[in-house]
Amino acid sequence: MSVTWALPFKEKIIPELGKERTVDPEEYRRIHQESLKDIEAFWSNVARELEWFKPWDKVLVADPQPPFYKWFVGGKLNASYLALDRHVKGGRKNKVAIIWEGEPVDQNGNPLEVRKLTYYDLWREVNRLAYVLKNKFGLKKGDTIGIYLPMIPELPIAMLAAARLGVIFTVVFSGFTAQALADRLNDAEAKLVITADGGYRRGRVIRLKDIVDKALEQSPTVKNVIVYRRVGLNDVNMVKGRDYWWHELMSDVPMNTYVEPEPVESEHPLYILYTSGTTGKPKGIVHDTGGYMVLLHATMKWVFDAREDDIHFCTADIGWVTGHSYIVFGPLLEGMTTIMYEGAPDYPNPDRWWAIVERYGATILYTSPTGIRTLMRFGDDWVKKHDLSTIRLMHSVGEPINPEAWRWLWKLAGREKVPFGSTWWMTETGGILISHAPGLALVPLKPGTNGPPLPGVDADVVDDNGNPVQPGQRGYLVIKRPWPGMLLTIWKDPDRYVKTYWSKFPGMFYAGDYAVKDEDGYLWILGRADEVIKVAGHRLGTYELESALIQHPAVAEAAVVGVPDQVKGEVPVAYVVLRQGYQPSEQLKAELNNKVRELVGPIATLSNIFFVTKLPKTRSGKIMRRLVKAVVTGQPLGDVTTLEDEASVEEVKRAYEEFK
Ligand code: WTA
């Protein structure tokens, strides 16, 4: 694999607002190398800045053996305590912790609902809910619960209440279907679910409790449901003895209720978050408490340059890891004010995010390439209408950012002055690992790059044999040493953990991404090297979509691949072989798409379905998605020696050409 990538390596921009922290790449390399000399000493210096109930005995332990790493072993802490109690006691009691804006607007486009919760407010609500979970439902450390809530303050309240008790929570994105929810609740063996009657999305009401009811038909471990009244639906089905209204449960819990935060071991799981892989059902990524807190603290300082008066606006949904780390835990850990917006960026108009920035004076903007590209299509005027001069720092996340989108946002929202990077990380890494670090030592920006690895992070690009590639050569992104915040394992499936991440290159964490390193040591993550696709920043396994398709009686076989898309980065297309007796038709296409939406969720919508009589396969009968992908993306086919029938490739090609 020796493809050379002509990325725009040369251009270097020194942002005006980060100037005092800017260093040249050589200097940064020295800082980085210094940090790697003794990663245990390096990370324990960061960890010491947090408050521990009990200090650790050992910084890093492989238990029972690599790659099962545990950080800060012997140490005890509590995430809810760090995010709340510390600030309530330490002078931030009346500081706003969360600014929440609901989606619905009046005729003038102004929000109908805004809630501002101080640290004290949030602390009290978290204590009261923790009391309910503990005393009314008997939940205790090590139990698991599911959280299926829209983007309302009760979502972080639920997360923090669980964390307070050492109860492991799994947040399920509120756009997921009953089937996807049931799969996750079952795998996590959740005892209870916290949900709402409904949520708003682009002016529509999504009836969440109905979805929970359907999921619970197949989720026997769930004994109780707490329902928050968000929308005020008056025909909500409440099962006696199983379902309880949040407000009723809380009505007799005094405002000043205090629940002692449970001191948990550093390696105690804080949460499980499900994410797509290449095969099988979504994997439950398990995060610890201590290492995760340490990585969030470090990245809030280095990447976001967290300051006391910051208003932090991360546009993600808390249903994904970005929201867990950089709407909830990261900003609250630092005692910052974090903005939560409930709805769609283009509702009622494509300037909603800019209106929010202006309304609350956001200083930090953390957003996604798909978000930027979507809003870019509506033109500059929607942005120019608003005063965005409070923004002093921006980053993007989720997928590679194209230089055009980078430039557009940098000019319009960043006034060609502010540090603006593309932070690389994944659900598994817990927090940002590769990024510009304006709060520490900023190297000049280059549109589209991810920048160098953060201190303490040993990232590299290697070839098929695990050897580092030359600058400019494409290879696989790996992390060569453990880092705090890394996943502990895959829930109930340690073998899969080892196999997925630590087997391709023994001793190195395989991220599944292609990357290039340039001469300055900056990394450019190019996209997935496996059968995972990123649609509008959401991670989908092509395998999940294929499994959904073959559940339709008409489908004999299916291959799904991602193709480039101007806005969403990538979109899935399917090649389908029909069973005898079924004919291709537009109606069948619609049915198949419905099947996928129903089983996986609306984010999985196929952008096209092609009917073929056979798929390219190896002689041993495995579908060669790589070839399908090469055809639809116009890439060379590469090695075809194992291909059984060349005509199949021709057919895939023809189907695609006809469509174009
Ligand atoms: C991709 C999201 C390029 C990458 C936090 C990774 C990126 C996957 C970037 C993880 C970026 C994330 N530039 N690619 N700045 N950030 N990715 O688990 O392919 O939803 O492996 O975590 O997103 O997706 P996940």
Side-chain angles (χ1 to χ4, degrees), residues 275 321-322 396-400 422-428 450 511 513 525 528 534 537 539:
T275 190
V321 75
T322 304
S396 111
V397 62
E399 38 173 330
S422 169
T423 63
W424 178 89
W425 57 298
M426 43 199 312
T427 307
E428 291 84 341
N450 298 99
D513 280 322
I525 314 305
R528 299 291 309 181
K534 285 240 109 179
R539 191 166 151 182

Side-chain angles (χ1 to χ4, degrees), residues 6 11 31 68 91 151 186 212 236 260 279 289 341 404 447 518 576 629 656:
E11 186 179 1
I31 297 172
F68 295 92
M151 282 285 284
N186 288 340
V212 170
V236 180
E260 192 81 40
T279 53
T289 306
Y341 166 55
E404 303 72 49
D518 70 17
V576 167
K629 173 125 185 161
Y656 194 65

Side-chain angles (χ1 to χ4, degrees), residues 484-537:
M486 65 190 292
L487 72 166
L488 288 172
T489 185
I490 294 176
W491 185 250
K492 294 198 302 197
D493 202 349
D495 295 342
R496 191 169 173 205
Y497 165 66
V498 178
K499 200 162 153 246
T500 312
Y501 306 106
W502 300 91
S503 302
K504 187 171 171 80
F505 304 111
M508 302 181 206
F509 175 86
Y510 170 60
D513 280 322
Y514 283 128
V516 182
K517 193 160 39 168
D518 70 17
E519 261 140 24
D520 290 322
Y522 291 29
L523 293 162
W524 301 67
I525 314 305
L526 305 170
R528 299 291 309 181
D530 55 11
E531 277 144 18
V532 167
I533 54 177
K534 285 240 109 179
V535 183

Side-chain angles (χ1 to χ4, degrees), residues 370-390:
T370 292
I372 300 168
R373 289 189 298 258
T374 306
L375 299 180
M376 219 170 131
R377 283 190 312 172
F378 295 98
D380 300 7
D381 290 347
W382 288 109
V383 196
K384 288 186 180 153
K385 260 175 72 176
H386 299 278
D387 177 5
L388 307 181
S389 61
T390 51

Side-chain angles (χ1 to χ4, degrees), residues 62-195:
D63 173 25
Q65 75 270 327
F68 295 92
Y69 295 103
K70 298 195 168 98
W71 282 88
F72 309 110
V73 176
K76 290 199 172 178
L77 73 172
N78 182 285
S80 166
Y81 176 87
L82 289 174
L84 300 171
D85 301 52
R86 218 169 29 132
H87 308 309
V88 170
K89 287 193 292 186
R92 296 194 182 105
K93 185 173 170 188
N94 298 317
K95 179 175 176 176
V96 174
I98 296 178
I99 301 176
W100 173 81
E101 185 170 306
E103 193 191 70
V105 288
D106 66 15
Q107 309 94 304
N108 304 319
N110 293 317
L112 287 167
E113 294 161 286
V114 174
R115 286 167 66 189
K116 292 186 183 175
L117 286 87
T118 63
Y119 273 93
Y120 188 53
D121 297 332
L122 189 60
W123 178 75
R124 294 222 285 198
E125 291 310 306
V126 167
N127 271 288
R128 292 175 73 218
L129 183 65
Y131 177 89
V132 166
L133 296 179
K134 183 177 172 178
N135 297 299
K136 299 199 177 177
F137 296 101
L139 290 170
K140 53 183 191 316
K141 182 182 166 204
D143 288 340
T144 51
I145 64 165
I147 302 178
Y148 186 66
L149 282 168
M151 282 285 284
I152 53 175
E154 283 62 31
L155 173 49
I157 290 171
M159 294 160 80
L160 291 161
R164 196 162 190 91
L165 303 173
V167 167
I168 306 162
F169 61 85
T170 185
V171 176
V172 180
F173 173 56
S174 62
F176 272 133
T177 59
Q179 183 63 51
L181 173 60
D183 288 345
R184 285 158 178 78
L185 296 174
N186 288 340
D187 189 74
E189 296 176 55
K191 293 191 162 163
L192 175 143
V193 178
I194 304 179
T195 189

